[in-house]
Amino acid sequence: MSRTNVYEMQQRISLLMESDDLVPALHLLRRVLKIKKHHMNAAPFTSVFDVADAHVTIASVLDEIITRLSSTSGEQLKAKYVNESAWHYFSAYEIKCDMLGSDDPNTQEALRLFYDKF
């Protein structure tokens, strides 16, 4: 068992996503992000790039949930998920921009993902 349980949670997330159980996977992904953010400043340490990747993973799961919602149901829920997804993509962009610079291809890809939300 890992000290933070992130490894075990990520295994569970993979199983949930394979079985298309996206909402419980999303809840676990949010917990993983919270743990990774905490461990940027506390042992065992994690990389800021791990935090950026967690943001992108959450955003992509939100995008998949949005896609699966029917066109007539849950307009408020869709709007909430679109906003949250954009926020996570932008957070990943900010991290990469701070660490790699605005001209780096990874940073540019993160910015493209954010702009694709609009």
Side-chain angles (χ1 to χ4, degrees):
M1 185 192 262
S2 67
R3 288 178 55 193
T4 62
N5 289 332
V6 166
Y7 177 76
E8 292 81 5
M9 282 190 267
Q10 288 175 321
Q11 288 180 317
R12 178 78 178 130
I13 290 164
S14 293
L15 291 172
L16 289 166
M17 292 182 65
E18 285 174 13
S19 64
D20 288 334
D21 211 354
L22 298 178
V23 174
L26 179 61
H27 292 296
L28 279 176
L29 284 165
R30 288 175 177 149
R31 285 182 56 202
V32 166
L33 176 61
K34 185 176 182 179
I35 292 167
K36 286 183 176 189
K37 284 173 134 181
H38 171 76
H39 285 285
M40 287 175 59
N41 301 310
F45 295 103
T46 191
S47 159
V48 292
F49 294 111
D50 287 339
V51 173
D53 290 343
H55 278 293
V56 171
T57 303
I58 290 171
S60 65
V61 170
L62 286 163
D63 290 345
E64 184 62 29
I65 291 170
I66 293 163
T67 301
R68 292 180 184 199
L69 288 172
S70 70
S71 60
T72 58
S73 69
E75 290 301 320
Q76 284 184 315
L77 184 58
K78 279 195 232 181
K80 175 187 170 216
Y81 282 165
V82 166
N83 288 337
E84 184 181 351
S85 175
W87 181 83
H88 283 290
Y89 282 129
F90 189 73
S91 295
Y93 163 74
E94 286 183 314
I95 291 168
K96 290 179 180 184
C97 191
D98 286 346
M99 299 305 295
L100 302 171
S102 61
D103 293 332
D104 185 84
N106 291 306
T107 303
Q108 291 299 312
E109 175 63 13
L111 184 60
R112 185 194 63 75
L113 290 170
F114 170 70
Y115 279 136
D116 283 352
K117 297 307 299 171
F118 301 103

